[in-house]
Structure formats: C-alpha cells, structure tokens
Amino acid sequence: MNKLYVLSLSLLCFGAVTAGARTLSLDSCRAMALRSNKQMSVARVKKEMATNTRKAARTKYLPHVDVAGGYMYSSREISLLNDEQKYAFANMGTIGMQKLQGMGDGLTSAMTQSMGQKLAGLVQQGLLTPDEAQKFGAMAQTMTASMKEAAGGLMPDLAQTVNQAGEKIVDAFRTNTHHMFTASAMVAQPVFMGGAITAANNMADIAERLADTRIDAKRNDVLYDIDNAYWTVVSLRHKQKLAEAYLELVRKLDHDIDKMIENGVATRADGLKVDVAVNEADMTKAKVDNGLSLARMYLCQLCGLDLDTDITLEDEGDKEINAELLVESNRSTSEIAEQLQQHRPELQMLQDAVELSKEQTRLARAGYMPQVALMGGVVFTNPSVYNGFERKFKGVFNVGVMVRVPVLDWGETMYKIRTSKCATTMAQLAYDEAQEMMQLQVNQCNFRVREANKNLATAKKNISSAEENLRCANLGFKEGVMQTSDVMAAQTAWLQAQTQKIDAEIDVKMSETALKKALGEM
C-alpha cells in the first residue's frame, strides 16, 4: 500500500514538473521528498541487505558442496627404500655371484683334498699303484679346472641379469612425488544442529521485517517533516501578505499625517510616531521575507530540489488557509493501544526486537544440543597410491556421519543464555515504556487539537472585532474625533488579530499532522 501511495504521488509530481510549472501541492512535495530523501534510500538498501541475509540463512538447510584442487612441486621425492637397500637391490647379482665364487673355490679345494686322501688310502690298501693314483689325481684336477672355467664364463652374464632385475625392483619402489596433483569434492548435509539453523532463519526473518518497518518509520518522519515545512511556508507567505497590508496601512496613515501637518491640524510629534510605525512595519516585513526565503530553501532541500529553486505552493495563493476545526479522538485507552500496536512502526520495531532476543536465546541454547551431519566426497590424486605410485589420476569416495556432542564448556553456554534472557527483559521493558509514552503522546496531541480548535474559533471572532475597531478608528480620525495614537493602536490590534488567526490556522494543520503521526496514520 505504501509503495502504491508513493508511486501515485510520484506520478502527480512528475506531471507537475513536466508541465513546466513550479506550483507544488502538498502531495507533490510529499512524493518528491519520499523519492529524494537520503535516509529513505539508506533504509531501502538495508531492506535489500536483510532480504539477502534471509535468503542466505535459508541455504543452511541445503547440502553444501565444496570442490578443491591443488598442485605441489617438491625438490625431493618420497623414498620407500633407503640408500643401502637401493644399492643392495641394484647390485644383488654381483654380490650373489661373489658369494657363489667364494663358495666354489672352497668347495674345489675341499674336493681336491678329499680326492687326494681317498687315492692315498687306495694306494695303501694296494688297490692302486702310485702311478695310477697320480694319473687319477691329475684327471680330477683337470675336470675341476674345466668346471671352474665354465662357471667363470657364465657368472658375469648371470650377475648382470640379476642386477637388472634388482634395478627394476628399485624403480618399482619409486614414488615419483616431485609433481603432485590433488582434486576433491566434498558434500555436507546438516541433519540436526540443535535448532541453531531454525533460530538463525527466524532471526533473519525478523531482521527483514525490522528493515521493512524502518522504511515505514522513516517514511512517517519524512512526511511529518515535509508537512510541517509546507505549512510553515504557507504561514510565512500569508504573514508576508499581512505585513505588506499593514505596511500599506501605516504608509497611508503617514501620508495623511503629512497632509495634516501641512494644514496645521496635526503636530510634528504625531508624524514622528507614524514614522516609527512605518520603520517597524518595514523591519517586520524584512524579517518575514527572510524567514520565508529560508523556509522555502528548507522545503526545497526536503524535496530534493536546488535551494534557489523558485517554487510556489498551492495553498499560499489562497486568501484564507481554510483550516477546518478538527474532530478530537475519543478512543479509549485500550483502543489507542490496539491502534498503536497495528500502525506505529516504532512500536512494531520494539516488538520485533523482543522476538529477536528470544530467538537469540534459542540460538544460545542450541549449544547444549548434539549436532549431526552427513558427510561424503571423492578425492583424486596424481600420483595415485591405489596401484603402486602410478602417474594417473585415481580416486576414492567416502561417506560418513559426523556427530558432535558438547560435554564440558565450563558454563559458557549457560552464561550466554542468561545474557540473552536479560536482553529479552530489557527489550520488553523498552517496549512497555514506549507504549506508555506513545499513549501519552496521543493524549497530548488530542489536547493540542482541542487547544488549536479553541484558538482558531477565538481568532476568527477577534478578526471581526479588530476589523470593526479599525474601521471605526479610521472613520473617527477622518472626522477629527480620534487621535493618531488611537488609529495606530487599532492597526496594531488588527495586525495581532490577523497574525493570531494565521497562527491558529497553521496550528490546526500541524496538530492534525502530529495526531496522525502519533496514531500511525500518516
């Protein structure tokens, strides 16, 4: 409803400006003020911020996916074998052949010695002659030498083959981790957070409602200021007309006195009195002119116009302000309280502050509750470790449940809950006090309306008396039965009555605005 109202007023204002006129109505001034007020713009931006915060809070219910990747260069690679193990594997053929060769030389010596002992035994037994035993010994040595020579030719090739196999084993144990790549994707879904997410969302809703209410409160303030500025300009414009009319009266009297002095029917003292009145009227008019200029500048500032913009208000051109007597509000205390709760944005903001502090208590209480979340993800690495250290991207997925149970926090959560409850109590007390003060404000505005009605009625009665008194004084002065001081006194009384009437009419307008603002009906 407020947006439609502002839009309609903006269209009215736009129509007035495009027509090339600078005559502004109260509604057009309101529309321009609402559109150009900086604080209103700030309030709208805060509302947008609160809306985005509320949308962000809603996302806490949904699963969150995080994707990460990385690369790292290392000057040294991870080694699963130490240097001694690497050397042993790379040279195990050579080492093995050396051990076998040592074992072969010992075996050959043992075999030759054993053969000699057996042949000697056969000779002693008479089974062989010494010559035959010598021949058999020479044959055995020849065979052993042949076997050793044949083995010596095969050992280098065998050692090289085993060494190559050992080098392959060393290469198989290389991790090749100079260049490492990682990529992962993780999913987290909250299941139960102890009511913290719900409380946070409720707080975001209240904050958005608060921002919206601040716009209404600022709108009421802007309309109240623009109404007061508008009627102040109208009041000063009518007082300017009144000052001009009064100046014409005293100048006419000064002209008549000058003629009377020339004809000898008035004294120089009478002329000096009238001259003083003329000077005072000039000073009064100058003050009203300056006040009117400043009031127009302030109104232009509120409307977002240049301070030197030449504007004319619709109501300042009328002869009368046309202020009607207001009807006083005769509502009961309970009706006023209900009206305030429904329409005063300040009271609604305080109520929202109470609700916000209660949600903060719920949020603090969530610290006592366990928290449960589902976790899942997939991780890729290069080199991979799932089939040796391969230079390939290979991954593994994992799922699980995370449970967090608070056990001991030394009373931190309890103290936070107590603090939040104290804040709720303070907010409730502020709400109750504000409600009482607003009810008092409504009553004060009612008294002001009653007083403004009474002053306006009295001022209208005084106008007729002052005009009749001035008419009689002018007539008596022409007939010579009244003094100059009597005419001046009648003019002064007329000026005061007209001024009081203008003030009373403007007071009626402003008291009406104040009552509407107090009731939240701007």
Side-chain angles (χ1 to χ4, degrees), residues 155-174:
M155 286 178 64
D157 295 335
L158 182 60
Q160 184 178 1
T161 301
V162 175
N163 287 342
Q164 291 176 354
E167 290 177 355
K168 290 181 180 180
I169 294 174
V170 173
D171 290 339
F173 275 97
R174 284 194 60 190

Side-chain angles (χ1 to χ4, degrees), residues 353-367:
V354 174
E355 297 298 328
L356 187 62
S357 63
K358 291 180 180 179
E359 292 298 331
Q360 288 176 341
T361 302
R362 297 188 182 97
L363 184 62
R365 189 175 289 113

Side-chain angles (χ1 to χ4, degrees), residues 27 71 92 132 293 362 422 484:
D27 288 340
Y71 164 78
M92 64 181 182
E132 292 175 344
S293 298
R362 297 188 182 97
C422 291
T484 305

